[in-house]
Each structure stands twice: as C-alpha cells, then as structure tokens.
Amino acid sequence: GQSLEQPSEVTAVEGAIVQINCTYQTSGFYGLSWYQQHDGGAPTFLSYNALDGLEETGRFSSFLSRSDSYGYLLLQELQMKDSASYFCALKVGGKLIFGQGTELSVKP
Amino acid sequence: GAVVSQHPSRVICKSGTSVKIECRSLDFQATTMFWYRQFPKQSLMLMATSNEGSKATYEQGVEKDKFLINHASLTLSTLTVTSAHPEDSSFYICSASGSPSTGELFFGEGSRLTVL
C-alpha cells in the first residue's frame, strides 16, 4: 500500500514564505500532486511533480525527490486567503492517494 | 479547467433509507470517475473507481453492497448509500481525471450527508 505523512498544522504570517513537507512510502508511483481545500469546499489542483526537481506556478512551487521519498509545497508571499488545508497525493496507476492534510493558518 | 457538478450538495435522511448522489462532468467526457469520502479535518479516502460501462472497483474495506456505484454514461456517475446509518454521515466527493500527463483531478463540490 501507500502512506503519506504531512504536518497536521502550520502557522505563518502574511507576506511570509512557508514550506509544507510530505514524506511517503510506496512501491511505485507516477508523481506527487498538491491540492488546496478550503473549509467545506472541493479540493483544487495546485501542482504536480512527475520528475525530481522544482515546479513553479506563480506563488506556489513544488519539489520532489524520489530518492528521499520526499516532497514539499512552497508558498510565497502568503495571503490571508491561503489559509486552507493542503494535501499531497501520490498518483498510483490512475488513482490519487491523499495524505492527511496540513492546515495552514495565515495570520495578519 | 473542466467542470464537475455534484448533486445534492447537502442531504439529510432518516436511518435505514437510501440516498443517491449524482456526479456529472459538464463539459467533457469522463470514462473514469473517483468517489472519495472525507470526515471533518481528515483526509480524502478513496472509496472506489467508477468506470463507464463496467463495474466499479472498490478499495479494500469499502462495502460494495453498501455503496452502490453506477457509471452508465460518459458524463454521469452515481453513488447510492443504501440503508444509511448515522456512521455513514460524511462528506462525499466525486472527481474525474484531467490531463493524463498530470495528477490533476477535477472535483465536484461535494455532498454532505447527514443520517439521523
């Protein structure tokens, strides 16, 4: 099976940079995705890493190291609206297996 | 991005009744859809993979007879919670695959089921 670990909570201030880590165990996977979910809402896609290295999309960047079974999501220039839950997810076959999620609180 | 619509967004039912949740892909055809379940402040747990024209593939531990999935067309998948009980109360979310080259799934708005 697969397992993913993320910190349960992270707090940061507006304008700062925050990194959310994700470690995983799996026998094989296609890539690592990141999703954002606001309370009561649908998850929305942020980023995907099929290969090792950094992917940048605006204020968000994601990193993957297959050799370390590790990835992270980097959020820059934090805004209040970034307060949400963030999930890493392994793409295994056609499925996505999600981590437990990290609740990010952005303070003024 | 593609739009996935889910209905109803909220449903309250009595214990022992059955509830049907619909998931539609509005502007694309989805041969595969996924059903997830989410408890408050917890992860999205994959329940089953719904394949158009064939039987759904259920994850380990998910009761097939309890959670009936039908994917009769390329734009509609349904989840029926049969003989619902209070422990079935949860947030149910469907999703459809986006680009095959990325991990992107397009999610519906979710359906919050409360069983009294």
Side-chain angles (χ1 to χ4, degrees), chain A residues 35 37 42 48 91 94-96 99, chain B residues 34 36 38 43 100 102-103 105 108:
Chain A
Y35 283 77
Q37 185 183 32
Y48 177 69
K91 184 178 180 183
K95 305 184 294 188
L96 276 188
Chain B
F34 304 93
Y36 288 85
Q38 186 177 34
S43 183
T102 74
L105 290 183

Side-chain angles (χ1 to χ4, degrees), chain B residues 37-110:
Chain B
R37 180 176 183 177
Q38 186 177 34
F39 291 105
K41 303 293 185 182
Q42 294 192 25
S43 183
L44 292 90
M45 300 299 299
L46 180 64
M47 299 175 66
T49 302
S50 170
N51 301 296
E52 188 268 335
S54 64
K55 291 184 179 180
T57 304
Y58 290 82
E59 295 299 303
Q60 192 173 6
V62 177
E63 298 176 62
K64 300 178 183 182
D65 296 331
K66 175 75 170 173
F67 299 101
L68 299 180
I69 291 172
N70 184 276
H71 195 154
S73 79
L74 287 171
T75 58
L76 175 64
S77 176
T78 60
L79 168 67
T80 301
V81 183
T82 62
S83 186
H85 288 93
E87 57 266 29
D88 299 323
S89 298
S90 190
F91 192 52
Y92 294 90
I93 318 176
C94 70
S95 64
S97 294
S99 166
S101 63
T102 74
E104 183 169 10
L105 290 183
F106 299 110
F107 282 87
E109 306 94 327

